[in-house]
Amino acid sequence: MALPNPGSFENISREVQKDVFLTNHMFTGLRADWTKPISASPIFHISHALTTGSQLPPYSFAALYGTDNVFLQGNLDNDGQLVARSNYRWNDSLITKATAQIAPGQGMLSLENDYSGKDFTASLKAMSPSFIEGGLSGIFVASYLQSVTPSLAVGLEALWQRAALNSPPEAALSYGIRYKGPDWIASAQLAPESAQGGTLNTSYWRRLSDKVSAGADLNLQLAPGSGGPGGLIGGGLQKEGITTIGAKYDFRASNLRAQLDSKGRLSCVLEKRILPAVQVSFAGEIDHFKQQAKVGLAVTVEATSEELMEQSEKGNIQQPSPPF
């Protein structure tokens, strides 16, 4: 029996977190993005972004290059902070990823290897690894997700970290399960020995129609109480959790995402393409408990040359698929 590839452990709840929820889509303030595609094969884009009224830098410049085996992306803002990403596909199964962040007075490096088998995915990641001081420090994560039936996948993730050699190392192990139905997906992750005492995360995604999908997520953290020595015995458990529900609507030239959590935050993002090369985005968030509100408005312009548009319309361009 041929089993499908379940994806990576890191993206075990990707349909909810990355597609329905506003995790990577919410913004505040005013933003203007100008993108210039220079080439379609290989992919080569440059872009400028102007922002005000948010925590993002006022100006940033980005460049992107991609082929079937190589993906390069760089972003430089007016504060001198550089973020660079590099992915390389060795073969159909193995991809190596590197991310570097360089800012005045600080820096960070992340290295990752993802191997996708026919029915499993294994990943090894190192963040800020260092051997300079005569010992090993940094954050290291290894994960594995395996399909056991056409619908069911199980996996685990191990984490080891040490901030510095004068600090003791910390380790944690988490377990995950993912089940895919005809038009729904459920997943759960359990970390019983994490630094917070224990974490349980569950998610549920369902396609309601061709244009509507919905998701729900529950995150529960248990920490030792401070009522006395002995943690669980002396002080009991301190429980903290948050539940989030959301929906995504896809229209002909726009899409709408909205979500509501148990802390009283209602958020929505509307993205509408008013012209083939112009997209307008509106974001809003209301915190009912804190009596606060945030709004955002963005305009994105894609200045494609007439030559590229003609080649694309005639089908003369075979666009590559970079290893994102």
Side-chain angles (χ1 to χ4, degrees):
M1 179 178 58
L3 299 178
N5 183 285
S8 64
F9 189 94
E10 182 181 11
N11 295 321
I12 197 170
S13 59
R14 55 186 176 273
E15 289 80 9
V16 174
Q17 298 295 338
K18 295 188 176 182
D19 188 39
V20 174
F21 285 178
L22 279 62
T23 309
N24 300 322
H25 303 276
M26 188 63 193
F27 66 95
T28 58
L30 299 177
R31 193 181 72 199
D33 297 326
W34 182 86
T35 302
K36 173 67 175 180
I38 298 176
S39 172
S41 183
I43 300 174
F44 184 37
H45 295 178
I46 61 172
S47 63
H48 304 266
L50 298 173
T51 307
T52 182
S54 70
Q55 297 180 351
L56 296 176
Y59 171 77
S60 63
F61 170 80
L64 182 150
Y65 175 86
T67 66
D68 288 329
N69 296 325
V70 177
F71 172 74
L72 302 174
Q73 185 180 35
N75 186 292
L76 178 65
D77 62 35
N78 60 283
D79 293 329
Q81 178 172 327
L82 173 66
V83 180
R85 294 177 56 200
S86 173
N87 299 352
Y88 185 80
R89 179 184 283 122
W90 300 94
N91 51 48
D92 293 339
S93 300
L94 180 61
I95 297 177
T96 297
K97 304 177 181 179
T99 303
Q101 295 184 2
I102 302 175
Q106 59 182 350
M108 189 278 290
L109 176 66
S110 173
L111 302 173
E112 182 177 358
N113 284 289
D114 293 334
Y115 186 88
S116 300
K118 293 182 179 180
D119 56 4
F120 72 92
T121 298
S123 177
L124 181 63
K125 179 186 295 186
M127 289 171 282
S128 298
S130 176
F131 302 90
I132 298 178
E133 300 177 358
L136 181 62
S137 63
I139 302 174
F140 301 87
V141 182
S143 62
Y144 182 86
L145 188 62
Q146 171 74 57
S147 292
V148 295
T149 71
S151 301
L152 180 64
V154 296
L156 56 83
E157 181 180 75
L159 180 146
W160 185 93
Q161 64 178 354
R162 176 189 282 179
L165 293 183
N166 56 3
S167 302
E170 299 179 359
L173 189 65
S174 59
Y175 308 90
I177 184 171
R178 173 182 168 95
Y179 189 89
K180 183 177 182 181
D183 56 359
W184 59 274
I185 298 174
S187 64
Q189 292 177 261
L190 176 64
E193 298 178 0
S194 65
Q196 292 81 19
T199 302
L200 173 64
N201 183 269
T202 62
S203 65
Y204 178 80
W205 175 89
R206 188 178 186 91
R207 182 169 294 282
L208 303 178
S209 69
D210 293 340
K211 298 182 178 182
V212 182
S213 57
D217 180 86
L218 168 65
N219 184 277
L220 179 63
Q221 294 185 354
L222 305 176
S226 58
L232 299 179
I233 298 177
L237 282 176
Q238 294 180 347
K239 304 177 183 179
E240 181 178 354
I242 181 171
T243 300
T244 306
I245 57 174
K248 178 187 176 184
Y249 299 82
D250 290 316
F251 303 100
R252 184 178 62 85
S254 62
N255 62 72
L256 173 66
R257 291 178 174 89
Q259 71 179 46
L260 174 67
D261 63 36
S262 57
K263 292 187 176 181
R265 292 190 297 248
L266 174 63
S267 310
C268 71
V269 172
L270 173 65
E271 299 173 337
K272 182 175 179 59
R273 187 165 293 277
I274 57 177
L275 292 173
V278 180
Q279 176 177 291
V280 176
S281 302
F282 172 80
E285 179 181 284
I286 300 177
D287 193 323
H288 292 87
F289 293 171
K290 296 182 179 180
Q291 298 295 313
Q292 296 178 351
K294 301 176 182 179
V295 294
L297 178 64
V299 178
T300 302
V301 179
E302 184 174 329
T304 307
S305 64
E306 295 183 0
E307 182 181 356
L308 286 179
M309 294 181 63
E310 291 178 359
Q311 293 179 357
S312 178
E313 292 174 356
K314 293 179 180 179
N316 296 334
I317 301 177
Q318 186 176 0
Q319 194 165 3
S321 178
F324 292 113

